[in-house]
Amino acid sequence: MEEMEEELKCPVCGSFYREPIILPCSHNICMACARNILVQTPDAESPRSRRASGSAASDYDYLDLDKMSLYSEADSGYGSYGGFASAPTTPCQKSPNGIRVFPPAVPPPAHPQPQHHLLQHPGSLPPIPRNSCITCPQCHRSLILDERGLRGFPKNRVLEGVVDRYQQSKAAALKCQLCEKSPKEATVMCEQCDVFYCEPCRMRCHPPRGPLAKHRLVPPAQGRVSRQLSPRKISTCTEHELENHSMYCVQCKIPVCYQCLEEGRHASHEVKALGAMWKLHKGQLSQALNILSERAKEAQEFLVQLRNMVQQIQENSVEFEACLVAQCDALIDALNRRKVQLLSRVNGEHEHKLKVVRDQIAHCTVKLRQTTGLMEYCLEVIKENDPSGFLQISDALIRRVHMTESQWGKGTLTPRMTSDFDLTLDSGPLLQTIHQLDFVQMKVPAAPILQLEECCSNSNSATLSWKQPPLSTVQVEGYILELDDGNGGQFREVYVGKETMCTVDGLHFNSTYNSRVKAFNKTGVSQYSQTLVLQTSETGLNPCELKSLGAVAWFTFDSSSAHPDIIFSNDNLTVTCSSYDDRVVLGNTGFSRGVHYWEMTVDRYDNHPDPAFGVARIDTLKDVMLGKDDKAWAMYVDNNRSWFMHNNSHTNRTEGGISKACTVGVLLDLNNRILIFSINDEPQGPIAFEKMEGLLFPAISLNRNVQVTLHSGLAIPEFYIQRHVEHPTSLC
């Protein structure tokens, strides 16, 4: 009930509605407040030209009235026709709800009137001046009153009754009517007994058994309201005050009386019974309230979510601060460790310099001592007066002196080490990095969502599509798609990139693959998406089903792995060669399971060449005839006969060759690990090869004298079906 209080207050005075009237825009206002915000228009504006009232205005009238609205640039929509001399110039006031309100345009009385004059009966108020205009304080629509003034607007008796009941429900708590001394607060009211009970008196005087068990007990507030409900007031017509409303005008959307239908402007309008329209509109309002109630429920749940977010934000803030402190401490520790390493290098340089200088000092000291001794010896020799004795040793002494002198001149007197430290700490980049140290809005991406409506499998390929969650704002650098081996084994990566759709070819037929995808960025890798199960085409047929089912492996020749001399056409279904030598081309789909059959039609056959048809591994030789190495199994054929060849071994010569328009069939049964050939729907020789296993690709070798066209996705040939009907155990 308390949330409804704002709906029951006038937008002008801010108090509960008193004698509310309904404006043509469907908003409400107190009668006294309506008088208070009236504005007198210029006399030149004729009331008849702009006649509008509460009972006569339609939606089209509002459009016209909006053209008359004058808006002030300073007060959000209320004007006073300030351009006319007759307009009031009294400054406007502000209501408790923030609405600007103009005082009455009538001259002030000679003696001050008490403030409670607004509560008096409308009949005792001053008359409404002519050409008065009223502006709705909520939607700002303006209209000019007719000669009836404010009496032309209907009174909102429903709103008035709701206000009365609400104010009464806010009164003091109800007391028990059966307590003898100090009545306690009532807890329930019996609608049948019309008595308020406290809990002890209810248990004593109104037990829930016997005849009283059928009585309806309601909360005291609800009981008081039901007591005070009086018979519904019958509203009277605003144009015919002595007549009650009896019908509802559908076009004008207002209640009318019978005189309005006979004399007024509603005579030609569609009208309906008042009671029926009352029930209809109540139902419509109830339906609208149900929808609004759902929205309110969603809003309440949303508020709970927001309040939970407040708690999560606080917890995440504490956790993030702790993480930030730990990261900064780790940086400081790393810097301290580096400082120790740099100081160690400085100390090493210091010890090295000292050692070099000390070694040089020791060397020079010894050398200087030897030089000084030589000099003193020479001086003593010079003092001798014996010429012959002097000349005997003078040459040797001269050589020693020159040698000693030359030894001092070979950089001996230059320091081997400088006193400066040739080390400069390059801290600029680190300081710049520290200044640039900031938060990056980067988190691990959310798990991608597989778009199931776009995921599918076709033949032995699978297409998967995914997207990021709608509310995810984390940057994604790429995705990783993983598939298992089709037997429930380990997952393997089949795609890494930025695309959100991928087709994986070369899967096993008749296999079930599990697929999943995850996103990644510089921060890390997301969780996996949900696992999607895909089933490839069922071409591995049970022999008992061969007659009704055929292979559905569609493929073409593969231009990417073929020899460069191969020439493609017809969407890679037709091939020939530009060389006289045999060149090999493979199909773009490999098989490892199931039964597969395809045919090749000979479009051109000149000079009796020997094309070879069969299967091969992906790395077979491409510049020799098919079957020359151990990675291909083939039948080569000319215009008269054919041979089977594997690893350059020729076997099973069979009569019957090919010509233009012939059809060569290849049947690969990997369930039984055999390879069979046919020409023009007839078997060509016995089973060509057995123990076939691994991943095998359709293949052909040909030269420039041959051109063939591929036909894939064919049904199992009749001769093979008949063979298994006659010998069913050969496959089962």
Side-chain angles (χ1 to χ4, degrees), residues 115-355:
Q115 293 298 321
H116 64 272
H117 72 280
L118 294 177
L119 300 176
Q120 298 175 3
H121 192 274
S124 61
L125 292 174
I128 301 297
R130 290 190 60 194
N131 302 342
S132 294
C133 174
I134 186 171
T135 301
C136 175
Q138 290 181 281
C139 66
H140 310 310
R141 284 179 174 172
S142 301
L143 70 156
I144 299 175
L145 276 63
D146 58 13
E147 63 276 2
R148 294 176 298 168
L150 296 177
R151 290 185 297 104
F153 299 117
K155 294 181 180 180
N156 195 336
R157 300 186 183 277
V158 174
L159 177 58
E160 191 174 9
V162 173
V163 170
D164 290 342
R165 293 197 299 272
Y166 180 77
Q167 289 179 321
Q168 292 172 3
S169 66
K170 299 286 284 186
L174 291 171
K175 302 297 182 180
C176 177
Q177 295 178 276
L178 298 182
C179 291
E180 296 180 357
K181 296 180 180 179
S182 302
K184 299 179 181 179
E185 184 176 345
T187 58
V188 295
M189 174 202 173
C190 177
E191 290 186 338
Q192 284 72 26
C193 301
D194 197 17
V195 176
F196 291 94
Y197 298 94
C198 65
E199 192 62 23
C201 293
R202 184 188 69 81
M203 296 299 297
R204 185 179 70 254
C205 304
H206 201 290
R209 59 181 180 271
L212 298 178
K214 299 182 179 180
H215 288 196
R216 183 169 180 264
L217 302 178
V218 297
Q222 182 179 346
R224 174 168 55 189
V225 170
S226 61
R227 264 189 177 184
Q228 296 169 349
L229 285 176
S230 57
R232 179 162 50 94
K233 298 180 180 179
I234 301 177
S235 58
T236 58
C237 180
T238 55
E239 296 186 3
H240 310 92
E241 298 182 356
L242 298 180
E243 299 295 337
N244 297 331
H245 288 144
S246 58
M247 300 297 288
Y248 181 83
C249 179
V250 177
Q251 182 175 343
C252 299
K253 299 182 179 180
I254 57 172
V256 295
C257 65
Y258 79 95
Q259 287 194 10
C260 293
L261 301 178
E262 294 181 356
E263 305 172 0
R265 63 187 184 90
H266 303 282
S268 59
H269 293 176
E270 179 186 0
V271 294
K272 293 187 177 180
L274 193 64
M277 293 303 296
W278 175 46
K279 292 181 180 179
L280 176 62
H281 283 205
K282 272 194 172 184
Q284 294 175 352
L285 180 59
S286 298
Q287 293 178 357
L289 284 176
N290 289 336
I291 299 176
L292 184 60
S293 176
E294 292 296 326
R295 295 293 179 268
K297 184 178 179 181
E298 293 175 2
Q300 187 174 5
E301 294 174 353
F302 179 66
L303 286 175
V304 173
Q305 180 182 354
L306 292 180
R307 293 189 182 100
N308 293 336
M309 286 183 61
V310 172
Q311 180 66 23
Q312 293 176 358
I313 290 173
Q314 294 175 347
E315 295 175 356
N316 292 342
S317 175
V318 173
E319 180 181 354
F320 188 78
E321 288 178 4
C323 181
L324 177 62
V325 171
Q327 288 177 321
C328 292
D329 290 343
L331 292 176
I332 295 172
D333 291 341
L335 186 61
N336 287 331
R337 290 193 298 270
R338 189 58 179 166
K339 181 179 71 172
V340 172
Q341 295 174 357
L342 294 176
L343 288 175
S344 176
R345 288 183 57 186
V346 172
N347 291 334
E349 185 72 12
H350 169 254
E351 295 297 331
H352 174 68
K353 286 180 177 290
L354 288 179
K355 183 178 182 302

Side-chain angles (χ1 to χ4, degrees), residues 626-689:
L626 189 68
K628 288 285 187 179
D629 60 3
D630 62 348
K631 297 178 181 178
W633 296 259
M635 177 189 73
Y636 70 93
V637 58
D638 60 16
N639 61 322
N640 292 319
R641 61 192 66 85
S642 67
W643 293 263
F644 301 147
M645 184 167 63
H646 170 66
N647 199 15
N648 204 25
S649 174
H650 308 254
T651 61
N652 296 99
R653 170 178 169 174
T654 304
E655 296 299 323
I658 61 172
S659 60
K660 182 179 179 181
C662 283
T663 299
V664 178
V666 181
L667 192 147
L668 178 62
D669 185 351
L670 290 170
N671 292 347
N672 294 277
R673 302 166 61 190
I674 61 175
L675 181 64
I676 299 176
F677 297 96
S678 65
I679 296 179
N680 295 330
D681 297 327
E682 293 294 333
Q684 184 71 5
I687 294 177
F689 300 99

